[in-house]
């Protein structure tokens, strides 16, 4: 039988300990009581910004921003991630899948801890062109998952392309960085235009995304080496996936967030 490395026992034991003590101490409720009123005030005060942006309402803009939102949605991941494996870029595919899973878990955890509302509709016009968007509208607002995922995925994709090609051309790097900023900016503005998020949600998603991306760029090689040739990988990840289900916070009201992260948790285990 394969032995279990000490760091794995410490890591899993730490999560199990957190589950027990956070439940006993009602950590979720205490954090919510501190953060929810503040964020809710920002959402209410930011309604005027949403309405100003929505003054430029047009069917073409509705189609543009709805289409862009689909680029960081579950149906897109379902089609995009297998293509990465089939194209032979298995390391990128593994990293993108795990990164999406991590972003989804962290973003939804914060959403359900804070349980802050989305912009009130009416007066805000909420555009839900797809069934996926209708489901998203049932979640809480802070942070914007679309902004968070776009920052992490486009940023990591740029990092991988530059590393894979070995490009050291400053102009190429600047063009890539500008393109990433443009995509992130369009997604952020689009989420406000569609009435799905307020400015504080976008800022929260941007800040969290930059933090996760920075962390991931520091550990991605170690994670991939562990998955490909590490010790006790399958059983460790199975226990980790199981514990993360119980570590997830309980929202103020039921939302689809738990189902989303559970699905991606299973996908990550499949890797």
């Amino acid at each position: 039988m394969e032995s279990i490395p000490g760091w794995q026992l410490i890591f899993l034991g730490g999560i199990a300990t957190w589950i027990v003590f956070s439940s006993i101490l009602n950590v979720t409720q205490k954090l919510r009581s501190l953060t929810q009123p503040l964020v809710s005030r920002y959402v209410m005060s930011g309604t005027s910004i949403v309405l100003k942006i929505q003054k430029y309402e047009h069917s073409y803009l509705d189609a543009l921003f709805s289409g862009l939102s689909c680029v960081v949605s579950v149906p897109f991941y379902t089609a995009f991630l297998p293509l990465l494996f089939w194209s032979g870029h298995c390391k990128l595919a593994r990293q993108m899948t795990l990164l999406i899973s991590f972003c989804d878990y962290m973003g939804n955890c914060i959403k359900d801890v804070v349980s802050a509302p989305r912009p009130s509709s009416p007066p805000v016009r909420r555009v839900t062109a797809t069934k996926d968007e209708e489901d998203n509208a049932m979640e809480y607002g802070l942070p914007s998952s679309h902004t968070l995922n776009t920052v992490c995925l486009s940023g990591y994709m740029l990092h991988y392309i530059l590393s894979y090609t070995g490009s050291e051309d400053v102009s190429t790097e600047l063009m890539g960085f500008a393109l990433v900023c443009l995509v992130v900016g369009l997604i952020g503005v689009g989420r406000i235009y569609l009435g799905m998020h307020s400015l504080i949600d976008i800022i929260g998603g941007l800040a969290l995304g930059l933090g996760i991306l920075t962390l991931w760029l520091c550990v991605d090689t170690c994670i991939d080496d562990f998955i490909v040739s590490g010790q006790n990988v399958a059983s460790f990840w199975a226990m980790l996936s199981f514990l993360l289900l119980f570590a997830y916070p309980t929202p103020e009201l039921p939302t689809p967030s738990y189902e989303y992260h559970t699905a991606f948790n299973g996908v990550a285990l499949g890797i």
Side-chain angles (χ1 to χ4, degrees), residues 84-96 160 224:
L84 292 179
F85 281 102
W86 299 336
S87 68
H89 295 280
C90 294
K91 179 179 179 180
L92 176 62
R94 288 191 297 269
Q95 289 298 309
M96 293 287 275
Y160 181 85
D224 199 66

Side-chain angles (χ1 to χ4, degrees), residues 191-202:
R191 300 309 288 169
I192 297 177
Y193 173 86
L194 296 174
M196 297 294 288
H197 287 287
S198 60
L199 182 60
I200 187 65
D201 301 336
I202 304 301

Side-chain angles (χ1 to χ4, degrees), residues 15-261:
I15 297 177
T17 302
W18 164 255
I19 293 172
V20 173
F21 279 96
S22 63
S23 177
I24 294 173
L25 300 175
N26 291 322
V27 173
T28 298
Q29 288 81 1
K30 291 177 181 177
L31 288 175
R32 183 177 299 140
S33 65
L34 292 173
T35 56
Q36 188 187 63
L38 178 63
V39 176
S40 298
R41 284 199 297 271
Y42 276 113
V43 172
M44 292 178 62
S45 63
T47 301
S48 59
I49 298 175
V50 179
L51 293 175
K52 286 179 181 178
I53 293 177
Q54 290 190 337
K55 285 182 178 179
Y56 300 97
E57 174 187 348
H58 196 283
S59 58
Y60 289 138
L61 290 178
D62 288 359
L64 170 65
F65 289 128
S66 295
L68 285 174
S69 293
C70 290
V71 174
V72 280
S73 63
V74 173
F76 172 77
Y77 300 146
T78 305
F80 176 66
L81 294 175
L83 290 176
L84 292 179
F85 281 102
W86 299 336
S87 68
H89 295 280
C90 294
K91 179 179 179 180
L92 176 62
R94 288 191 297 269
Q95 289 298 309
M96 293 287 275
T97 304
L98 295 175
L99 180 55
I100 292 172
S101 179
F102 187 61
C103 288
D104 191 66
Y105 188 86
M106 293 302 298
N108 286 341
C109 273
I110 295 175
K111 279 187 177 184
D112 284 351
V113 166
V114 179
S115 295
R118 292 179 183 268
S120 181
S121 175
V124 168
R125 182 181 70 104
R126 184 162 294 147
V127 181
T128 52
T130 64
K131 179 63 170 62
D132 187 61
E133 282 288 79
E134 292 178 4
D135 292 339
N136 287 336
M138 297 172 63
E139 295 181 305
Y140 289 108
L142 180 82
S144 166
S145 297
H146 283 71
T147 306
L148 164 62
N149 292 342
T150 305
V151 170
C152 289
L153 298 188
S154 59
Y156 191 83
M157 181 71 79
L158 175 62
H159 164 76
Y160 181 85
I161 292 174
L162 293 177
S163 301
Y164 185 79
T165 59
S167 175
E168 296 182 358
D169 184 13
V170 177
S171 61
T172 301
E173 294 177 356
L174 288 176
M175 286 179 61
F177 181 75
L179 181 60
V180 168
C181 290
L182 176 62
V183 172
V184 172
L186 286 173
I187 291 293
V189 172
R191 300 309 288 169
I192 297 177
Y193 173 86
L194 296 174
M196 297 294 288
H197 287 287
S198 60
L199 182 60
I200 187 65
D201 301 336
I202 304 301
I203 294 174
L206 180 61
L208 182 60
L210 290 174
I212 291 178
L213 179 60
T214 301
L215 172 64
W216 201 264
L217 291 176
C218 295
V219 301
D220 63 330
T221 301
C222 296
I223 292 175
D224 199 66
D225 290 342
F226 171 67
I227 292 171
V228 173
S229 57
Q231 185 179 2
N232 202 44
V233 179
S235 55
F236 167 76
W237 213 282
M239 285 299 299
L240 175 62
S241 300
F242 182 76
L243 287 174
L244 288 178
L245 296 178
F246 289 93
Y248 191 85
T250 303
E252 191 172 47
L253 296 172
T255 71
S257 298
Y258 185 81
E259 299 173 16
Y260 293 159
H261 102 76

